[in-house]
Amino acid sequence: MNDTLPAARDHLVAAAHDHLVAAAHDHLVEAARDLVPALRAGAPAAERGHRLTPGDARFLHEAGFFALHAPAALGGLGASIATAVDVHAELARGSGSAAWCAVILSGAGLLASRFPAAGREELWADDPRAGVCGSFFPTGTGRRVPGGLRVSGRWQPMSGVHHARWALLPVLVQDVQDERPAVEAVLVPVEALDVEPTWDVVGMAGTGSDTAVAQDVLVPQRRCAPFGALLGAGAPDADDPLRSTTAYSAVGVCAGAVLVGMARAGLELVLDALGEGRPLASSTYADARDAPGVRFDVASAARLVDTAGLHLARATGEVERGAREGRQLDVATRARVRADLATITVSTRAALGHLLDAGGARSFAAGNPLQAVWRDVEVLSRHPLLAPGLNVDVYARTLLGSQEQVAAFV
């Protein structure tokens, strides 16, 4: 009988933990949902100003949405990937740009949480809600000096740089003994960088994805780490499952959540407009909802949005299982996650096409928010994390047993 006591205690502890996690998840998702009206109202100004409005950025920072994965041990939220996905999808219903900034700042924070203890403590010592912007591409160089690296380079686009306190920058470091340069990640205060206004696009304009420039910035060793090691799964840690998350896949599903959230917003906008009972132009239909073509487009869009959401749920589930089990996802699973992202991209693009057809030519009026959602989806879906051509190629090579991959990260 005594042997059953530890097992019973462990079961109760696990149940209590799961209850707390669920409560935290629901609280954060509800907080994101509450921000939707404000973000939707601020989106046009963010687009005009090429960055989030100060008010929206403050809302996101105060809610902790710029640092969802900052370690709980340092005062952060330590939110799971599943929670982050649901938060980002809700934020995207209000503003794709706001949600994307939250994805990038929180995702780079997830990588930053795997730096040496002294480095990550420095990041969030003063503000556990501080955001970390970042890049996957080593377009800078590092020169080893006593105590660290001297870093120079340009990183563009750098989404959310105007709202981040730190930047995670991959750099190439040429060591004398190595034939090929190593890729190191460095953490640099944004205030130590120059930010050049180069972001001028027709969609996702509010992300402020300008160019970050470092000019011979000294980075101490505590804020340097091998870049490749950050992207996989960290050391298993029962108290912090995020350290066991396959980071590249995790950032991918969070990116997919923004597309799904924007597609849901587009569907809501069209249903609201049709709910006003307006006539269908150049027809005898006094109510456009009675037109078979409109009904077909609305139902087709809804089915595609649901398809995207189901693939997002499957991919998120894979990432979460890997974290709970303390393991790196295998190549086949990571490739299928990328295939799910391809399906999300194709489905959301197609959904917006049906919604524009259902809405008619008035959907393209400058003041109609549907065309802004469409432009944002078209631009974001070309991001390397989400581009379907490369993601499907990666998946196909895995299915066919190819030993050669064509992506830097799977």
Side-chain angles (χ1 to χ4, degrees):
M1 183 174 178
N2 290 338
D3 292 341
T4 66
L5 292 177
R9 183 183 63 241
D10 291 346
H11 176 76
L12 289 173
V13 169
H17 176 266
D18 290 345
H19 176 75
L20 290 173
V21 169
H25 171 278
D26 293 346
H27 171 74
L28 289 171
V29 173
E30 185 64 31
R33 189 174 296 125
D34 289 344
L35 284 177
V36 168
L39 295 177
R40 193 169 287 180
E47 185 171 46
R48 291 191 300 270
H50 289 190
R51 68 183 69 174
L52 302 183
T53 66
D56 287 349
R58 184 177 66 254
F59 292 151
L60 293 166
H61 173 264
E62 290 177 351
F65 294 153
F66 284 158
L68 280 167
H69 308 306
L74 299 178
L77 293 173
S80 70
I81 301 304
T83 294
V85 163
D86 288 347
V87 165
H88 297 317
E90 284 297 321
L91 294 176
R93 290 179 48 239
S95 164
S97 290
W100 186 249
C101 287
V103 166
I104 294 302
L105 270 58
S106 291
L110 175 63
L111 300 184
S113 71
R114 298 173 177 192
F115 272 68
R120 64 175 181 266
E121 288 169 7
E122 183 178 357
L123 259 65
W124 291 294
D126 297 332
D127 181 7
R129 296 170 296 183
V132 183
C133 60
S135 171
F136 282 121
F137 307 107
T139 54
T141 58
R143 176 170 53 88
R144 295 200 188 278
V145 296
L149 291 171
R150 284 203 169 271
V151 170
S152 297
R154 300 169 60 86
W155 292 264
Q156 193 271 333
M158 184 64 72
S159 298
V161 65
H162 299 285
H163 314 297
R165 185 170 180 177
W166 296 87
L168 188 152
L169 308 174
V171 297
L172 295 174
V173 180
Q174 182 67 64
D175 289 319
V176 176
Q177 66 273 24
D178 296 328
E179 294 183 4
R180 298 178 59 183
V183 182
E184 291 273 321
V186 298
L187 289 165
V188 179
V190 169
E191 64 184 14
L193 304 172
D194 296 321
V195 180
E196 297 180 358
T198 54
W199 188 241
D200 187 13
V201 290
V202 298
M204 301 298 289
T207 59
S209 303
D210 289 317
T211 300
V213 182
Q215 301 183 40
D216 198 33
V217 175
L218 176 62
V219 183
Q221 191 59 47
R222 67 180 179 277
R223 289 197 259 115
C224 302
F227 187 49
L230 303 179
L231 293 171
D237 187 337
D239 295 326
D240 185 6
L242 280 171
R243 289 185 59 79
S244 303
T245 301
T246 303
Y248 189 80
S249 299
V251 176
V253 296
C254 289
V258 179
L259 285 180
V260 171
M262 288 195 290
R264 288 171 178 165
L267 181 60
E268 292 167 13
L269 290 169
V270 169
L271 291 176
D272 287 346
L274 291 172
E276 298 171 0
R278 58 178 174 79
L280 183 65
S282 300
S283 79
T284 60
Y285 289 107
D287 189 331
R289 290 173 294 183
D290 294 329
V294 171
R295 295 203 299 267
F296 173 81
D297 281 321
V298 169
S300 296
R303 289 165 57 219
L304 288 162
V305 173
D306 284 346
T307 295
L310 290 168
H311 280 268
L312 178 63
R314 180 173 75 166
T316 303
E318 294 286 9
V319 174
E320 282 288 281
R321 276 189 291 276
R324 286 198 305 270
E325 296 168 7
R327 61 177 174 82
Q328 165 80 295
L329 298 181
D330 58 43
V331 173
T333 302
R334 282 179 276 151
R336 193 173 67 198
V337 167
R338 292 188 68 142
D340 284 333
L341 295 176
T343 301
I344 291 168
T345 295
V346 172
S347 297
T348 52
R349 285 184 193 169
L352 264 294
H354 282 292
L355 292 172
L356 290 167
D357 287 343
R362 71 185 71 194
S363 300
F364 295 94
N368 191 321
L370 181 59
Q371 54 79 28
V373 172
W374 168 61
R375 287 185 287 107
D376 286 348
V377 166
E378 290 292 328
V379 170
L380 181 58
S381 64
R382 269 72 183 184
H383 189 280
L385 276 168
L386 299 165
L390 179 58
N391 284 341
V392 169
D393 191 10
V394 168
Y395 186 47
R397 288 171 179 270
T398 304
L399 291 173
L400 297 170
S402 174
Q403 299 299 311
E404 181 182 358
Q405 273 294 355
V406 291
F409 313 111
V410 177

